[in-house]
Amino acid sequence: MPPLAHNTSVATCPETPELPLDYAPARKPAPRQSLTDELTVFREFGQATRTLVTTFAGADAQPRAVATFVNEFWTAKQRQASSLHEISYRACFKPQLPRFFIERLTQPGEVVYDPFMGRGTTVLEAALLGRVPCGCDINPLSLVLTRPRLRPPRLEDVAQRLQQIDFAAPDEFPEDLLVFFHPDTLRAIASLKKYLLARRAAAALDALDDWICLLALNRLTGHSPGFFSVYTLPPNQAVSVKSQRKINADRNQTPPPRDVPALILKKTRQLLRDCDTPTRRVLASVAPRALLLTQPAARTPQIPDCSVALVVTSPPFLDVVDYATDNWLRCWFLGLDAKSVKLTVPKKLDAWQAAMTEVFHELHRVLKPGGHVAFEVGEIHAGKTRLEEAVLPCGVAAGLEPELVLINDQQFTKTANCWGVANMAKGTNTNRIVLFRKVRCVYA
Ligand SMILES: C[S@@+](CC[C@H](N)C(=O)[O-])C[C@H]1O[C@@H](n2cnc3c(N)ncnc32)[C@H](O)[C@@H]1O
């Protein structure tokens, strides 16, 4: 077994088991400035970094301090992210966030993991940067949204496959859905559903079917003529039949006919905009080694011990997300039971901390010694609850060492608040990321 590529002086791991993903060995990292030094002098977007301190209660209840860096570390003005990311998902982060950490903390060929994968922002960005993508999400939609974009097809192949599908042969015609769709559109959607379910049952789903399924899911309902439905809420929040009836009455609208294959092809063209030959080449080199899981993040035995170089993730927050209500229509299309999906959404902070501590234990297991976790916590309770303070003890309880807190603030000339930066209410976009490192190996 080859020695671990990372700094083995900090820990001794058991032999790394054979990886099911055929991981490429990491290149030896080039010597570089430490992240702390880089953040301190960072000035790429014209602002100097401000250094603060975040405190939290350590294991012995003594206060501990972590260096905290505030600046505009990535920005909307920066080089646009790949068009492949342009899939909506509730509470997704921008690709620039994982990119910032992947570029600084990993080498091509190393494994980058997101235990709360969502639409797959980290996973896709990792793959685009030549890292081996690994992801997990309890929501089965996450896999449907992520996997096809790791192996994007060619436009002409999508067009050809769409021509082979019979869009006028449904098995069902759920009349309730006529509040969203014109009868011809509903027939086409139900026919596509039947085709995809039959392909799945025959274990014949290929990359083109996966792609068409993703696109159909993405176009199902929305607020513009680019979607299959009449005007409704954005695609992340399917409304009930009753609410849609009211929307239709209020707006005096009836669902117009939509060309399902044409809309799939149009969105395909948009998504593939940046898919040039080098992009396809890099994706093709890592996608076959990807590992994407649909299960709770706290138990992922498929991921070997000490195999992951970096985790970039954003957990479910303390808000109330009713999965079944939000996803009933997409689950209908996929033939899934929306009520069977149980997301982790504790409403109380201590229950959330307990759930996150469990996940951190699992992350500690899968991380290489020297590997990092970049844990993004968003705004909750209108910025009154500081989740970075709440999350620090969870990582520490799992044996991880807090390195720093990074606050990315995109407009930070506004009125200062308690972090010295303006919050969402002031019109800024703030991400707070707690960075942990695995320095010890607790395995016997
Ligand atoms: C804030 S979102 C992540 C969004 C992601 N960063 C992106 O850019 O799309 C949190 C995700 O956690 C998932 N989730 C909730 N409970 C989970 C659990 N116990 N295990 C794994 N995933 C879970 C949700 O389905 C959701 O996709």
Side-chain angles (χ1 to χ4, degrees), residues 22 30 39 61 73 93 111 136 140 186 199 228 241 367 424 428:
D22 180 27
L39 298 182
F73 292 108
F93 48 44
V111 179
C136 175
L186 181 56
R199 296 278 287 181
F228 302 158
V241 167
L367 271 182
M424 294 290 273
T428 60

Side-chain angles (χ1 to χ4, degrees), residues 306-386:
C306 305
S307 58
V308 170
L310 172 67
V311 171
V312 186
T313 198
S314 168
F317 298 124
L318 295 143
D319 50 3
V320 185
V321 177
D322 184 344
Y323 182 84
T325 307
D326 273 358
N327 293 293
W328 68 273
L329 197 48
R330 275 172 288 183
C331 286
W332 165 77
F333 180 73
L334 294 172
L336 294 173
D337 175 10
K339 292 201 179 74
S340 68
V341 181
K342 299 280 172 247
L343 305 189
T344 300
V345 278
K347 293 180 193 104
K348 293 265 166 32
L349 188 60
D350 52 357
W352 183 84
Q353 285 180 299
M356 291 307 117
T357 302
E358 247 191 280
V359 173
F360 274 114
H361 275 288
E362 186 66 349
L363 297 183
H364 188 281
R365 180 187 69 75
V366 303
L367 271 182
K368 290 177 177 186
H372 289 88
V373 179
F375 204 83
E376 193 251 351
V377 285
E379 294 274 352
I380 62 153
H381 302 153
K384 284 189 212 115
T385 302
R386 297 193 194 182

Side-chain angles (χ1 to χ4, degrees), residues 208-242:
L208 280 170
D209 294 326
D210 261 7
W211 182 269
I212 289 169
C213 183
L214 154 73
L215 271 282
L217 211 60
N218 174 265
R219 297 290 91 189
L220 209 48
T221 54
H223 46 289
S224 80
F227 293 94
F228 302 158
S229 70
V230 69
Y231 175 95
T232 181
L233 292 193
N236 296 329
Q237 305 149 46
V239 297
S240 66
V241 167
K242 195 170 155 206

Side-chain angles (χ1 to χ4, degrees), residues 29-47:
R32 63 161 182 81
Q33 210 178 13
S34 83
L35 188 58
T36 304
D37 291 346
E38 185 187 344
L39 298 182
T40 307
V41 298
F42 192 95
R43 234 199 144 94
E44 220 167 285
F45 304 111
Q47 304 283 347

Side-chain angles (χ1 to χ4, degrees), residues 89 91-93 115-116 118-119 121 137-139 296-297 314-316 343-344:
Y89 192 79
C92 60
F93 48 44
F116 302 110
R119 67 168 178 170
T121 317
D137 201 294
I138 204 163
N139 181 354
S314 168
L343 305 189
T344 300

